[in-house]
PDB file of all heavy atoms in Angstrom:
ATOM      1  N   GLY D  15       0.653  -0.867 -15.427  1.00  0.00           N
ATOM      2  CA  GLY D  15      -0.408  -0.505 -14.621  1.00  0.00           C
ATOM      3  C   GLY D  15      -0.115   0.562 -13.585  1.00  0.00           C
ATOM      4  O   GLY D  15       0.858   1.251 -13.653  1.00  0.00           O
ATOM      5  N   VAL D  16      -1.151   0.855 -12.692  1.00  0.00           N
ATOM      6  CA  VAL D  16      -1.119   1.915 -11.751  1.00  0.00           C
ATOM      7  C   VAL D  16      -0.951   1.327 -10.297  1.00  0.00           C
ATOM      8  O   VAL D  16      -1.660   0.241 -10.029  1.00  0.00           O
ATOM      9  CB  VAL D  16      -2.354   2.808 -11.850  1.00  0.00           C
ATOM     10  CG1 VAL D  16      -2.330   3.800 -10.671  1.00  0.00           C
ATOM     11  CG2 VAL D  16      -2.572   3.399 -13.184  1.00  0.00           C
ATOM     12  N   LEU D  30      -6.239   5.918  -3.206  1.00  0.00           N
ATOM     13  CA  LEU D  30      -6.844   4.624  -3.839  1.00  0.00           C
ATOM     14  C   LEU D  30      -7.881   5.177  -4.789  1.00  0.00           C
ATOM     15  O   LEU D  30      -7.976   4.592  -5.841  1.00  0.00           O
ATOM     16  CB  LEU D  30      -7.513   3.878  -2.769  1.00  0.00           C
ATOM     17  CG  LEU D  30      -8.271   2.607  -3.244  1.00  0.00           C
ATOM     18  CD1 LEU D  30      -7.306   1.639  -3.955  1.00  0.00           C
ATOM     19  CD2 LEU D  30      -8.956   1.966  -2.030  1.00  0.00           C
ATOM     20  N   THR D  31      -8.741   6.003  -4.489  1.00  0.00           N
ATOM     21  CA  THR D  31      -9.705   6.434  -5.412  1.00  0.00           C
ATOM     22  C   THR D  31      -9.161   7.234  -6.602  1.00  0.00           C
ATOM     23  O   THR D  31      -9.607   6.963  -7.759  1.00  0.00           O
ATOM     24  CB  THR D  31     -10.769   7.576  -4.753  1.00  0.00           C
ATOM     25  OG1 THR D  31     -11.347   6.994  -3.588  1.00  0.00           O
ATOM     26  CG2 THR D  31     -11.902   8.080  -5.621  1.00  0.00           C
ATOM     27  N   ALA D  32      -8.172   8.078  -6.421  1.00  0.00           N
ATOM     28  CA  ALA D  32      -7.469   8.768  -7.566  1.00  0.00           C
ATOM     29  C   ALA D  32      -6.827   7.608  -8.369  1.00  0.00           C
ATOM     30  O   ALA D  32      -6.892   7.874  -9.658  1.00  0.00           O
ATOM     31  CB  ALA D  32      -6.454   9.725  -7.014  1.00  0.00           C
ATOM     32  N   ALA D  33      -6.051   6.645  -7.811  1.00  0.00           N
ATOM     33  CA  ALA D  33      -5.609   5.629  -8.627  1.00  0.00           C
ATOM     34  C   ALA D  33      -6.413   4.782  -9.382  1.00  0.00           C
ATOM     35  O   ALA D  33      -6.220   4.452 -10.551  1.00  0.00           O
ATOM     36  CB  ALA D  33      -4.561   4.785  -7.654  1.00  0.00           C
ATOM     37  N   ALA D  34      -7.627   4.508  -8.821  1.00  0.00           N
ATOM     38  CA  ALA D  34      -8.673   3.719  -9.484  1.00  0.00           C
ATOM     39  C   ALA D  34      -9.127   4.507 -10.726  1.00  0.00           C
ATOM     40  O   ALA D  34      -9.363   3.946 -11.820  1.00  0.00           O
ATOM     41  CB  ALA D  34      -9.819   3.409  -8.592  1.00  0.00           C
ATOM     42  N   ASP D  35      -9.300   5.890 -10.521  1.00  0.00           N
ATOM     43  CA  ASP D  35      -9.796   6.610 -11.745  1.00  0.00           C
ATOM     44  C   ASP D  35      -8.735   6.639 -12.807  1.00  0.00           C
ATOM     45  O   ASP D  35      -9.038   6.574 -13.944  1.00  0.00           O
ATOM     46  CB  ASP D  35     -10.054   8.085 -11.302  1.00  0.00           C
ATOM     47  CG  ASP D  35     -11.334   8.212 -10.327  1.00  0.00           C
ATOM     48  OD1 ASP D  35     -12.135   7.294 -10.249  1.00  0.00           O
ATOM     49  OD2 ASP D  35     -11.394   9.273  -9.641  1.00  0.00           O
ATOM     50  N   GLU D  36      -7.505   6.716 -12.440  1.00  0.00           N
ATOM     51  CA  GLU D  36      -6.360   6.820 -13.354  1.00  0.00           C
ATOM     52  C   GLU D  36      -6.256   5.422 -14.051  1.00  0.00           C
ATOM     53  O   GLU D  36      -6.029   5.413 -15.249  1.00  0.00           O
ATOM     54  CB  GLU D  36      -5.094   7.163 -12.665  1.00  0.00           C
ATOM     55  CG  GLU D  36      -4.031   7.564 -13.544  1.00  0.00           C
ATOM     56  CD  GLU D  36      -4.259   8.884 -14.362  1.00  0.00           C
ATOM     57  OE1 GLU D  36      -4.884   9.792 -13.888  1.00  0.00           O
ATOM     58  OE2 GLU D  36      -3.936   8.746 -15.550  1.00  0.00           O
ATOM     59  N   ALA D  37      -6.399   4.338 -13.400  1.00  0.00           N
ATOM     60  CA  ALA D  37      -6.325   3.022 -13.888  1.00  0.00           C
ATOM     61  C   ALA D  37      -7.446   2.862 -14.888  1.00  0.00           C
ATOM     62  O   ALA D  37      -7.339   2.195 -16.038  1.00  0.00           O
ATOM     63  CB  ALA D  37      -6.424   1.913 -12.893  1.00  0.00           C
ATOM     64  N   ALA D  38      -8.760   3.381 -14.539  1.00  0.00           N
ATOM     65  CA  ALA D  38      -9.816   3.209 -15.528  1.00  0.00           C
ATOM     66  C   ALA D  38      -9.562   4.133 -16.854  1.00  0.00           C
ATOM     67  O   ALA D  38      -9.807   3.517 -17.870  1.00  0.00           O
ATOM     68  CB  ALA D  38     -11.070   3.773 -14.875  1.00  0.00           C
ATOM     69  N   ARG D  39      -9.101   5.215 -16.615  1.00  0.00           N
ATOM     70  CA  ARG D  39      -8.746   6.136 -17.890  1.00  0.00           C
ATOM     71  C   ARG D  39      -7.711   5.395 -18.758  1.00  0.00           C
ATOM     72  O   ARG D  39      -7.699   5.562 -19.909  1.00  0.00           O
ATOM     73  CB  ARG D  39      -8.024   7.385 -17.296  1.00  0.00           C
ATOM     74  CG  ARG D  39      -9.028   8.525 -16.946  1.00  0.00           C
ATOM     75  CD  ARG D  39      -8.392   9.816 -16.780  1.00  0.00           C
ATOM     76  NE  ARG D  39      -9.121  10.519 -15.795  1.00  0.00           N
ATOM     77  CZ  ARG D  39      -8.793  10.675 -14.460  1.00  0.00           C
ATOM     78  NH1 ARG D  39      -7.743  10.104 -14.102  1.00  0.00           N
ATOM     79  NH2 ARG D  39      -9.514  11.272 -13.744  1.00  0.00           N
ATOM     80  N   ARG D  40      -6.741   4.571 -18.151  1.00  0.00           N
ATOM     81  CA  ARG D  40      -5.694   4.019 -18.957  1.00  0.00           C
ATOM     82  C   ARG D  40      -6.014   2.584 -19.351  1.00  0.00           C
ATOM     83  O   ARG D  40      -5.272   1.968 -19.969  1.00  0.00           O
ATOM     84  CB  ARG D  40      -4.376   3.976 -18.130  1.00  0.00           C
ATOM     85  CG  ARG D  40      -3.919   5.324 -17.723  1.00  0.00           C
ATOM     86  CD  ARG D  40      -2.780   5.112 -16.620  1.00  0.00           C
ATOM     87  NE  ARG D  40      -2.160   6.522 -16.366  1.00  0.00           N
ATOM     88  CZ  ARG D  40      -0.961   6.839 -16.419  1.00  0.00           C
ATOM     89  NH1 ARG D  40      -0.176   5.991 -16.896  1.00  0.00           N
ATOM     90  NH2 ARG D  40      -0.605   8.066 -16.069  1.00  0.00           N
ATOM     91  N   SER D  41      -7.249   2.189 -18.917  1.00  0.00           N
ATOM     92  CA  SER D  41      -7.627   0.701 -19.022  1.00  0.00           C
ATOM     93  C   SER D  41      -6.465  -0.163 -18.579  1.00  0.00           C
ATOM     94  O   SER D  41      -6.024  -1.152 -19.206  1.00  0.00           O
ATOM     95  CB  SER D  41      -7.829   0.370 -20.565  1.00  0.00           C
ATOM     96  OG  SER D  41      -8.961   1.108 -21.004  1.00  0.00           O
ATOM     97  N   ALA D  42      -5.943   0.172 -17.410  1.00  0.00           N
ATOM     98  CA  ALA D  42      -4.889  -0.551 -16.829  1.00  0.00           C
ATOM     99  C   ALA D  42      -5.186  -1.387 -15.478  1.00  0.00           C
ATOM    100  O   ALA D  42      -6.262  -0.993 -14.916  1.00  0.00           O
ATOM    101  CB  ALA D  42      -3.694   0.470 -16.493  1.00  0.00           C
ATOM    102  N   VAL D  43      -4.367  -2.158 -15.094  1.00  0.00           N
ATOM    103  CA  VAL D  43      -4.508  -2.973 -13.808  1.00  0.00           C
ATOM    104  C   VAL D  43      -4.142  -1.966 -12.723  1.00  0.00           C
ATOM    105  O   VAL D  43      -3.238  -1.136 -12.840  1.00  0.00           O
ATOM    106  CB  VAL D  43      -3.567  -4.112 -13.752  1.00  0.00           C
ATOM    107  CG1 VAL D  43      -3.648  -4.725 -12.362  1.00  0.00           C
ATOM    108  CG2 VAL D  43      -3.962  -5.155 -14.870  1.00  0.00           C
ATOM    109  N   LEU D  44      -4.991  -1.984 -11.568  1.00  0.00           N
ATOM    110  CA  LEU D  44      -4.713  -1.241 -10.406  1.00  0.00           C
ATOM    111  C   LEU D  44      -3.977  -2.145  -9.463  1.00  0.00           C
ATOM    112  O   LEU D  44      -4.670  -3.242  -9.024  1.00  0.00           O
ATOM    113  CB  LEU D  44      -5.944  -0.652  -9.835  1.00  0.00           C
ATOM    114  CG  LEU D  44      -5.767  -0.004  -8.468  1.00  0.00           C
ATOM    115  CD1 LEU D  44      -4.824   1.209  -8.673  1.00  0.00           C
ATOM    116  CD2 LEU D  44      -7.040   0.410  -7.852  1.00  0.00           C
ATOM    117  N   PRO D  92     -15.738  -3.374  -8.668  1.00  0.00           N
ATOM    118  CA  PRO D  92     -15.269  -2.242  -9.425  1.00  0.00           C
ATOM    119  C   PRO D  92     -15.059  -2.618 -10.873  1.00  0.00           C
ATOM    120  O   PRO D  92     -14.916  -3.819 -11.266  1.00  0.00           O
ATOM    121  CB  PRO D  92     -13.820  -1.960  -8.805  1.00  0.00           C
ATOM    122  CG  PRO D  92     -13.630  -3.083  -7.772  1.00  0.00           C
ATOM    123  CD  PRO D  92     -14.724  -3.851  -7.641  1.00  0.00           C
ATOM    124  N   GLN D  93     -15.118  -1.657 -11.746  1.00  0.00           N
ATOM    125  CA  GLN D  93     -15.019  -1.834 -13.222  1.00  0.00           C
ATOM    126  C   GLN D  93     -13.534  -1.998 -13.739  1.00  0.00           C
ATOM    127  O   GLN D  93     -13.463  -1.974 -14.944  1.00  0.00           O
ATOM    128  CB  GLN D  93     -15.699  -0.622 -13.925  1.00  0.00           C
ATOM    129  CG  GLN D  93     -17.194  -0.510 -13.497  1.00  0.00           C
ATOM    130  CD  GLN D  93     -18.010  -1.841 -13.814  1.00  0.00           C
ATOM    131  OE1 GLN D  93     -17.978  -2.338 -14.853  1.00  0.00           O
ATOM    132  NE2 GLN D  93     -18.673  -2.351 -12.734  1.00  0.00           N
ATOM    133  N   ILE D  94     -12.738  -2.181 -12.892  1.00  0.00           N
ATOM    134  CA  ILE D  94     -11.234  -2.264 -13.230  1.00  0.00           C
ATOM    135  C   ILE D  94     -10.580  -3.510 -12.635  1.00  0.00           C
ATOM    136  O   ILE D  94     -11.349  -3.976 -11.651  1.00  0.00           O
ATOM    137  CB  ILE D  94     -10.368  -1.128 -12.830  1.00  0.00           C
ATOM    138  CG1 ILE D  94     -10.568  -0.824 -11.362  1.00  0.00           C
ATOM    139  CG2 ILE D  94     -10.780   0.176 -13.621  1.00  0.00           C
ATOM    140  CD1 ILE D  94      -9.604   0.218 -10.778  1.00  0.00           C
ATOM    141  N   LYS D  95      -9.542  -4.091 -13.178  1.00  0.00           N
ATOM    142  CA  LYS D  95      -8.949  -5.158 -12.721  1.00  0.00           C
ATOM    143  C   LYS D  95      -8.014  -4.680 -11.515  1.00  0.00           C
ATOM    144  O   LYS D  95      -7.287  -3.742 -11.658  1.00  0.00           O
ATOM    145  CB  LYS D  95      -8.144  -5.885 -13.706  1.00  0.00           C
ATOM    146  CG  LYS D  95      -7.429  -7.142 -13.233  1.00  0.00           C
ATOM    147  CD  LYS D  95      -6.665  -7.995 -14.180  1.00  0.00           C
ATOM    148  CE  LYS D  95      -6.114  -9.220 -13.546  1.00  0.00           C
ATOM    149  NZ  LYS D  95      -5.253  -9.905 -14.640  1.00  0.00           N
TER     150      LYS D  95
END
Side-chain angles (χ1 to χ4, degrees):
V16 176
L30 174 62
T31 301
D35 291 345
E36 196 60 40
R39 276 188 212 99
R40 297 168 181 243
S41 299
V43 175
L44 176 62
Q93 300 301 306
I94 55 174
K95 183 175 180 188

